């Protein structure tokens, strides 16, 4: 999940435990966590990267709970299509996230960059631990990457999505060798302006509208995945889950802002 779901503004864990609930055909199954782990380099600022945490349970989840592998160490998702899943607020990109969270949705985006600091934006660091996409509506005026950085792509039409409140911790999948694996964990939303001009259709507010940027923690980053592997290897995780991240987006929040 995302570290900011479990921590205070300084990056210290401020939750005793969390509960994960999986909605299965035969009924829901839930359990409370036993241990929470936060990446040691996470400092409370999502813009500084490392926004990753692990939730450990002493329950061996039933076989009906789906398991998904992580992408390989060093996996490069920049320039790739990602499939994102979550339960966050929704709405239409022309106005942003206006409806309550709680409904599971899925959609596509193109992950065009690491952290925006790598492209010159101040205050964004550890760019190799972040992946960034923008929310396109097919119009050049609202193509955020093109507007600010000269990187043009007009998106996936009605399948294009963006992050919204409640999506934190949700997974983004990438196709690696024909298998979809978790390569991102939903982190934060940001909007930019330059000289009073912006690509955002709702200027001045990061409300998940067209023309904004969305960031996930890069699970393929060696700095992130080596910590995950070490932590999982040191924890008494049941054998079927070793080396595997369980899709637990329902526990931490959801994901998305569909346009239609």
């Amino acid at each position: 999940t995302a570290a900011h779901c479990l921590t205070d503004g300084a990056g210290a864990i401020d939750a005793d435990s969390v509960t994960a609930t999986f909605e299965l055909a035969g009924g829901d199954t839930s359990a409370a966590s036993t241990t929470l782990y936060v990446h040691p380099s996470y400092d409370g600022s999502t813009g500084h990267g490392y926004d990753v945490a692990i939730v450990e349970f002493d329950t061996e989840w039933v076989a009906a709970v789906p398991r998904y592998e992580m992408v390989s160490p060093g996996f490069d998702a920049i320039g790739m299509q990602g499939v994102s899943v979550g339960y966050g607020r929704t709405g239409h990109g022309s106005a942003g996230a206006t409806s309550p969270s709680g409904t599971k949705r899925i959609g596509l985006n193109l992950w065009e960059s690491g952290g925006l600091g790598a492209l010159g934006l101040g205050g964004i660091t550890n760019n190799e631990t972040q992946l960034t996409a923008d929310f396109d509506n097919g119009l050049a005026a609202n193509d955020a990457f093109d507007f600010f950085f000269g990187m043009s792509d007009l998106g996936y039409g009605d399948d294009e999505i963006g992050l919204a409140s409640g999506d934190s911790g949700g997974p983004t999948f990438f196709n690696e060798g024909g298998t979809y694996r978790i390569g991102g964990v939903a982190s934060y939303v940001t909007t930019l302006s330059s000289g009073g001009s912006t690509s955002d259709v709702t200027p001045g507010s990061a409300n998940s509208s067209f023309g904004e940027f969305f960031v996930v923690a890069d699970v393929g980053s060696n700095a992130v995945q080596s910590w995950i592997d070490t932590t999982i290897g040191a924890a008494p995780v049941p054998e079927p889950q070793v080396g595997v991240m369980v899709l637990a987006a329902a526990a931490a929040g959801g994901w998305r802002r569909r346009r239609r």
Side-chain angles (χ1 to χ4, degrees):
T1 189
H4 75 260
C5 292
L6 308 178
T7 58
D8 60 20
I13 295 175
D14 66 353
D16 293 329
S17 67
V18 298
T19 298
T21 299
F22 295 92
E23 300 173 353
L24 305 175
D28 294 355
T29 181
S30 300
S33 65
T34 56
T35 311
L36 306 176
Y37 305 89
V38 170
H39 197 292
S41 294
Y42 180 70
D43 65 3
S45 171
T46 54
H48 294 170
Y50 299 103
D51 189 11
V52 180
I54 293 172
V55 180
E56 180 186 351
F57 301 88
D58 63 4
T59 298
E60 184 172 348
W61 299 99
V62 297
V65 173
R67 279 95 163 147
Y68 299 95
E69 295 181 353
M70 296 181 293
V71 295
S72 300
F75 178 79
D76 185 4
I78 295 176
M80 293 190 66
Q81 178 190 94
V83 181
S84 299
V85 184
Y87 294 78
R89 298 189 67 186
T90 188
H92 191 279
S94 59
T98 56
S99 299
S101 60
T103 300
K104 182 179 180 181
R105 292 183 170 85
I106 186 169
L108 307 177
N109 213 317
L110 181 70
W111 296 87
E112 297 177 64
S113 177
L116 293 177
L119 300 177
L121 182 66
I124 308 296
T125 58
N126 299 305
N127 299 289
E128 75 282 359
T129 70
Q130 304 176 60
L131 294 170
T132 308
D134 61 9
F135 197 5
D136 293 305
N137 59 2
L139 301 177
N142 305 119
D143 180 355
F145 267 111
D146 189 29
F147 189 93
F148 291 103
F149 304 111
M151 301 162 58
S152 178
D153 182 88
L154 297 181
Y156 295 113
D158 285 341
D159 290 325
E160 177 103 349
I161 54 84
L163 292 167
S165 177
D167 287 332
S168 295
T172 293
F173 295 86
F174 295 95
N175 187 328
E176 183 181 19
T179 300
Y180 279 91
R181 299 176 177 175
I182 297 175
V185 174
S187 184
Y188 67 96
V189 179
T190 191
T191 183
L192 302 179
S193 65
S194 177
S197 297
T198 182
S199 58
D200 195 343
V201 299
T202 59
S205 175
N207 63 345
S208 303
S209 58
F210 293 136
E212 296 181 4
F213 293 97
F214 307 97
V215 180
V216 299
D218 184 0
V219 173
S221 163
N222 287 314
V224 170
Q225 193 165 138
S226 61
W227 172 77
I228 293 174
D229 288 341
T230 299
T231 303
I232 290 176
V237 180
E239 183 64 25
Q241 297 183 23
V242 173
V244 175
M245 292 189 73
V246 177
L247 173 57
W255 165 262
R256 161 209 307 37
R257 301 229 45 282
R258 254 192 112 131
R259 287 172 28 199
R260 55 183 186 184

